[in-house]
Coordinates of all heavy atoms in Angstrom, one line a residue:
L36 N 15.7 -27.7 5.7 CA 16.9 -28.0 4.9 C 17.4 -29.5 5.0 O 17.5 -30.2 4.0 CB 18.1 -27.1 5.4 CG 17.9 -25.6 5.0 CD1 18.9 -24.8 5.7 CD2 18.0 -25.4 3.5
A37 N 17.6 -29.9 6.2 CA 18.2 -31.2 6.4 C 17.4 -32.4 5.9 O 17.9 -33.4 5.4 CB 18.5 -31.5 7.9
L38 N 16.1 -32.3 6.0 CA 15.2 -33.4 5.7 C 14.5 -33.2 4.4 O 13.6 -33.9 4.0 CB 14.2 -33.7 6.8 CG 14.8 -34.1 8.1 CD1 13.7 -34.4 9.1 CD2 15.7 -35.3 8.0
L39 N 14.8 -32.2 3.6 CA 14.1 -31.9 2.3 C 14.2 -33.1 1.4 O 13.2 -33.5 0.8 CB 14.7 -30.7 1.7 CG 14.1 -30.3 0.3 CD1 12.6 -30.0 0.5 CD2 14.8 -29.0 -0.2
A40 N 15.4 -33.7 1.3 CA 15.5 -34.8 0.4 C 14.6 -36.0 0.8 O 14.1 -36.7 -0.1 CB 17.0 -35.3 0.3
A41 N 14.5 -36.2 2.1 CA 13.7 -37.3 2.5 C 12.2 -37.1 2.2 O 11.4 -38.0 2.1 CB 13.9 -37.5 4.0
C42 N 11.8 -35.8 2.2 CA 10.4 -35.5 1.9 C 10.1 -35.3 0.4 O 8.9 -35.3 0.1 CB 10.1 -34.2 2.6 SG 10.2 -34.2 4.4
S43 N 11.1 -35.3 -0.4 CA 10.9 -34.9 -1.8 C 10.1 -35.8 -2.6 O 9.5 -35.4 -3.6 CB 12.3 -34.7 -2.5 OG 13.0 -35.9 -2.6
G44 N 10.0 -37.1 -2.2 CA 9.2 -38.0 -3.1 C 7.8 -38.1 -2.7 O 7.1 -38.9 -3.3
R45 N 7.4 -37.3 -1.8 CA 6.0 -37.4 -1.2 C 5.1 -36.3 -1.8 O 5.5 -35.4 -2.5 CB 6.1 -37.3 0.3 CG 7.0 -38.4 0.9 CD 7.1 -38.3 2.4 NE 5.8 -38.7 3.0 CZ 5.7 -38.8 4.3 NH1 6.7 -38.5 5.1 NH2 4.5 -39.1 4.8
D46 N 3.8 -36.5 -1.5 CA 2.8 -35.5 -2.0 C 2.8 -34.3 -1.1 O 2.5 -34.4 0.1 CB 1.5 -36.2 -2.0 CG 0.4 -35.3 -2.6 OD1 0.7 -34.2 -2.9 OD2 -0.7 -35.8 -2.8
M47 N 3.2 -33.1 -1.7 CA 3.2 -31.9 -0.9 C 1.9 -31.1 -1.0 O 1.8 -30.0 -0.5 CB 4.4 -31.0 -1.3 CG 5.7 -31.7 -1.1 SD 7.1 -30.7 -1.5 CE 7.0 -29.4 -0.3
G48 N 0.9 -31.7 -1.6 CA -0.3 -30.9 -1.9 C -1.4 -31.3 -0.9 O -1.2 -31.8 0.2
S49 N -2.7 -31.0 -1.3 CA -3.9 -31.4 -0.6 C -4.7 -32.4 -1.4 O -4.3 -32.7 -2.5 CB -4.7 -30.1 -0.4 OG -5.3 -29.7 -1.6
E50 N -5.7 -32.9 -0.8 CA -6.5 -33.9 -1.5 C -7.2 -33.3 -2.7 O -7.5 -34.1 -3.7 CB -7.6 -34.5 -0.5 CG -8.6 -33.5 0.0 CD -9.6 -34.1 1.0 OE1 -9.5 -35.3 1.2 OE2 -10.4 -33.4 1.5
W51 N -7.4 -32.0 -2.7 CA -8.0 -31.4 -3.9 C -7.0 -30.9 -4.9 O -7.3 -30.6 -6.0 CB -8.9 -30.2 -3.5 CG -10.1 -30.6 -2.7 CD1 -10.2 -30.4 -1.3 CD2 -11.2 -31.3 -3.1 NE1 -11.4 -30.9 -0.9 CE2 -12.1 -31.5 -2.0 CE3 -11.7 -31.8 -4.3 CZ2 -13.3 -32.1 -2.0 CZ3 -12.9 -32.4 -4.4 CH2 -13.7 -32.6 -3.3
F52 N -5.7 -30.8 -4.5 CA -4.7 -30.3 -5.4 C -3.4 -31.1 -5.0 O -2.4 -30.6 -4.4 CB -4.4 -28.8 -5.2 CG -3.7 -28.1 -6.3 CD1 -4.3 -27.1 -7.0 CD2 -2.5 -28.6 -6.8 CE1 -3.6 -26.4 -8.0 CE2 -1.9 -28.0 -7.9 CZ -2.4 -26.9 -8.5
P53 N -3.3 -32.4 -5.4 CA -2.1 -33.2 -5.2 C -0.9 -32.5 -5.9 O -1.0 -32.0 -6.9 CB -2.5 -34.5 -5.7 CG -3.9 -34.6 -5.9 CD -4.3 -33.1 -6.1
L54 N 0.2 -32.7 -5.2 CA 1.5 -32.2 -5.8 C 2.5 -33.3 -5.6 O 3.5 -33.2 -4.8 CB 1.9 -30.9 -5.1 CG 1.0 -29.7 -5.5 CD1 1.3 -28.5 -4.5 CD2 1.2 -29.2 -6.9
R55 N 2.3 -34.4 -6.3 CA 3.2 -35.6 -6.2 C 4.4 -35.4 -7.1 O 4.2 -35.2 -8.3 CB 2.4 -36.8 -6.5 CG 1.3 -37.2 -5.5 CD 0.5 -38.4 -6.0 NE -0.3 -38.1 -7.1 CZ -1.6 -37.9 -7.0 NH1 -2.2 -37.9 -5.9 NH2 -2.3 -37.6 -8.1
V56 N 5.6 -35.4 -6.6 CA 6.8 -35.2 -7.4 C 6.8 -36.2 -8.5 O 6.6 -37.4 -8.3 CB 8.0 -35.3 -6.5 CG1 9.3 -35.2 -7.3 CG2 8.0 -34.2 -5.4
G57 N 7.0 -35.7 -9.7 CA 7.1 -36.6 -10.9 C 5.8 -36.6 -11.7 O 5.8 -37.1 -12.8
D58 N 4.7 -36.2 -11.1 CA 3.4 -36.3 -11.8 C 3.5 -35.3 -13.0 O 4.0 -34.2 -12.9 CB 2.3 -35.9 -10.9 CG 1.8 -37.1 -10.1 OD1 2.4 -38.2 -10.2 OD2 0.7 -37.0 -9.4
E59 N 2.9 -35.7 -14.1 CA 2.8 -34.8 -15.3 C 1.4 -34.9 -15.8 O 0.7 -35.9 -15.8 CB 3.8 -35.3 -16.3 CG 3.9 -34.3 -17.5 CD 5.0 -34.7 -18.4 OE1 6.2 -34.3 -18.1 OE2 4.8 -35.3 -19.5
Q60 N 0.9 -33.7 -16.2 CA -0.5 -33.6 -16.7 C -0.5 -32.8 -18.0 O 0.1 -31.8 -18.1 CB -1.4 -32.9 -15.6 CG -2.8 -32.6 -16.0 CD -3.5 -31.7 -15.0 OE1 -2.9 -30.7 -14.6 NE2 -4.7 -32.0 -14.7
T61 N -1.3 -33.3 -19.0 CA -1.4 -32.7 -20.3 C -2.9 -32.1 -20.4 O -3.8 -32.9 -20.2 CB -1.1 -33.6 -21.4 OG1 0.2 -34.0 -21.3 CG2 -1.3 -32.8 -22.8
M62 N -3.0 -30.9 -20.7 CA -4.3 -30.2 -20.9 C -4.5 -29.9 -22.4 O -3.6 -29.3 -23.0 CB -4.4 -29.0 -20.1 CG -4.2 -29.2 -18.6 SD -5.5 -29.9 -17.7 CE -6.7 -28.5 -17.5
S63 N -5.7 -30.2 -22.9 CA -6.1 -29.8 -24.2 C -6.8 -28.5 -24.2 O -7.7 -28.3 -23.4 CB -7.0 -30.8 -24.9 OG -7.5 -30.4 -26.1
V64 N -6.3 -27.5 -24.9 CA -6.8 -26.1 -24.8 C -7.4 -25.7 -26.1 O -6.8 -25.8 -27.2 CB -5.7 -25.1 -24.4 CG1 -6.2 -23.7 -24.2 CG2 -4.9 -25.6 -23.2
S65 N -8.6 -25.2 -26.1 CA -9.3 -24.7 -27.3 C -9.8 -23.3 -27.1 O -10.1 -22.9 -25.9 CB -10.5 -25.6 -27.7 OG -11.5 -25.7 -26.7
Y66 N -10.0 -22.6 -28.2 CA -10.4 -21.2 -28.1 C -11.6 -21.0 -29.0 O -11.7 -21.5 -30.1 CB -9.3 -20.2 -28.6 CG -8.1 -20.3 -27.7 CD1 -7.0 -21.2 -28.0 CD2 -7.9 -19.4 -26.6 CE1 -5.9 -21.2 -27.2 CE2 -6.7 -19.5 -25.8 CZ -5.7 -20.3 -26.1 OH -4.6 -20.4 -25.4
Q67 N -12.6 -20.2 -28.6 CA -13.6 -19.6 -29.4 C -13.5 -18.1 -29.3 O -13.9 -17.5 -28.4 CB -15.0 -20.1 -28.9 CG -15.2 -21.6 -29.1 CD -16.6 -22.0 -28.6 OE1 -17.2 -21.4 -27.8 NE2 -17.1 -23.1 -29.2
M68 N -12.9 -17.5 -30.4 CA -12.5 -16.2 -30.4 C -13.2 -15.4 -31.5 O -13.6 -15.9 -32.5 CB -11.0 -16.1 -30.5 CG -10.2 -16.9 -29.4 SD -10.3 -16.1 -27.8 CE -9.4 -14.6 -28.0
D69 N -13.2 -14.0 -31.3 CA -13.7 -13.2 -32.4 C -12.7 -13.3 -33.5 O -13.1 -13.1 -34.7 CB -13.7 -11.7 -31.9 CG -14.8 -11.5 -30.8 OD1 -15.8 -12.3 -30.8 OD2 -14.6 -10.7 -29.9
E70 N -11.4 -13.5 -33.2 CA -10.4 -13.8 -34.2 C -9.8 -15.2 -34.0 O -9.5 -15.5 -32.8 CB -9.3 -12.7 -34.1 CG -9.7 -11.3 -34.4 CD -8.6 -10.3 -34.4 OE1 -7.5 -10.7 -34.0 OE2 -8.9 -9.1 -34.7
P71 N -9.7 -16.0 -35.0 CA -9.4 -17.4 -34.8 C -8.0 -17.6 -34.1 O -7.1 -16.8 -34.3 CB -9.3 -18.0 -36.2 CG -10.1 -17.0 -37.1 CD -10.0 -15.7 -36.4
R72 N -8.0 -18.6 -33.2 CA -6.7 -18.9 -32.5 C -6.6 -20.5 -32.5 O -7.5 -21.2 -32.3 CB -6.7 -18.4 -31.1 CG -5.4 -18.6 -30.4 CD -5.4 -18.0 -29.0 NE -5.6 -16.5 -29.0 CZ -5.5 -15.8 -27.9 NH1 -5.2 -16.3 -26.7 NH2 -5.7 -14.5 -28.0
D73 N -5.4 -20.9 -32.8 CA -5.1 -22.4 -32.9 C -5.2 -23.0 -31.5 O -4.9 -22.4 -30.5 CB -3.7 -22.6 -33.5 CG -3.6 -22.3 -34.9 OD1 -4.7 -22.2 -35.6 OD2 -2.5 -22.0 -35.4
P74 N -5.7 -24.3 -31.5 CA -5.7 -25.0 -30.2 C -4.3 -25.3 -29.7 O -3.3 -25.2 -30.5 CB -6.4 -26.3 -30.5 CG -6.2 -26.5 -32.0 CD -6.2 -25.1 -32.6
E75 N -4.1 -25.6 -28.4 CA -2.8 -25.8 -27.8 C -2.9 -27.0 -26.9 O -3.9 -27.5 -26.6 CB -2.4 -24.5 -27.0 CG -2.3 -23.2 -27.7 CD -2.1 -22.0 -26.8 OE1 -2.2 -22.2 -25.6 OE2 -1.9 -20.9 -27.4
Q76 N -1.7 -27.4 -26.4 CA -1.6 -28.3 -25.3 C -0.7 -27.7 -24.3 O 0.4 -27.2 -24.6 CB -1.0 -29.7 -25.8 CG -2.1 -30.5 -26.5 CD -1.6 -32.0 -26.7 OE1 -0.5 -32.4 -26.3 NE2 -2.5 -32.8 -27.3
W77 N -1.1 -27.8 -23.0 CA -0.3 -27.4 -21.9 C 0.2 -28.6 -21.2 O -0.6 -29.6 -21.0 CB -1.1 -26.5 -21.0 CG -1.5 -25.2 -21.5 CD1 -1.1 -24.6 -22.6 CD2 -2.6 -24.4 -21.0 NE1 -1.8 -23.4 -22.8 CE2 -2.7 -23.3 -21.8 CE3 -3.4 -24.5 -19.9 CZ2 -3.6 -22.2 -21.6 CZ3 -4.3 -23.5 -19.6 CH2 -4.4 -22.4 -20.5
V78 N 1.4 -28.7 -20.8 CA 1.9 -29.8 -20.0 C 2.4 -29.2 -18.6 O 3.2 -28.3 -18.6 CB 3.1 -30.5 -20.7 CG1 3.6 -31.6 -19.8 CG2 2.6 -31.0 -22.0
M79 N 1.9 -29.7 -17.6 CA 2.3 -29.3 -16.2 C 2.9 -30.5 -15.5 O 2.4 -31.6 -15.6 CB 1.1 -28.8 -15.4 CG 0.8 -27.4 -15.6 SD -0.2 -27.1 -17.1 CE -1.8 -27.7 -16.6
R80 N 4.0 -30.3 -14.9 CA 4.7 -31.4 -14.1 C 5.1 -30.8 -12.7 O 5.3 -29.6 -12.5 CB 5.9 -31.9 -14.8 CG 7.1 -31.0 -14.9 CD 8.4 -31.6 -15.4 NE 9.5 -30.7 -15.3 CZ 9.9 -29.8 -16.2 NH1 9.2 -29.8 -17.4 NH2 10.9 -29.0 -16.0
V81 N 5.1 -31.8 -11.8 CA 5.5 -31.4 -10.4 C 7.0 -31.8 -10.3 O 7.4 -32.9 -10.4 CB 4.7 -32.1 -9.4 CG1 5.1 -31.7 -8.0 CG2 3.2 -31.8 -9.6
D82 N 7.8 -30.7 -10.1 CA 9.3 -30.9 -9.9 C 9.6 -31.2 -8.5 O 8.8 -31.2 -7.6 CB 10.0 -29.7 -10.4 CG 10.0 -29.5 -12.0 OD1 9.7 -30.6 -12.6 OD2 10.2 -28.4 -12.5
E83 N 10.9 -31.5 -8.2 CA 11.4 -31.6 -6.9 C 11.1 -30.4 -6.0 O 11.2 -29.3 -6.6 CB 12.9 -32.0 -6.8 CG 13.2 -33.3 -7.4 CD 12.8 -34.5 -6.5 OE1 12.7 -34.2 -5.3 OE2 12.6 -35.6 -7.0

Side-chain angles (χ1 to χ4, degrees):
L36 291 171
L38 296 183
L39 181 59
C42 297
S43 64
R45 304 178 68 176
D46 184 354
M47 298 182 67
S49 70
E50 61 183 357
W51 296 107
F52 202 124
L54 292 164
R55 295 177 288 260
V56 175
D58 276 8
E59 189 170 279
Q60 178 189 42
T61 300
M62 304 284 283
S63 173
V64 185
S65 62
Y66 298 90
Q67 292 181 333
M68 305 289 292
D69 297 332
E70 298 181 356
R72 186 178 298 188
D73 292 336
E75 300 173 352
Q76 283 193 358
W77 297 341
V78 179
M79 276 81 73
R80 70 171 187 268
V81 181
D82 290 339
E83 291 289 334

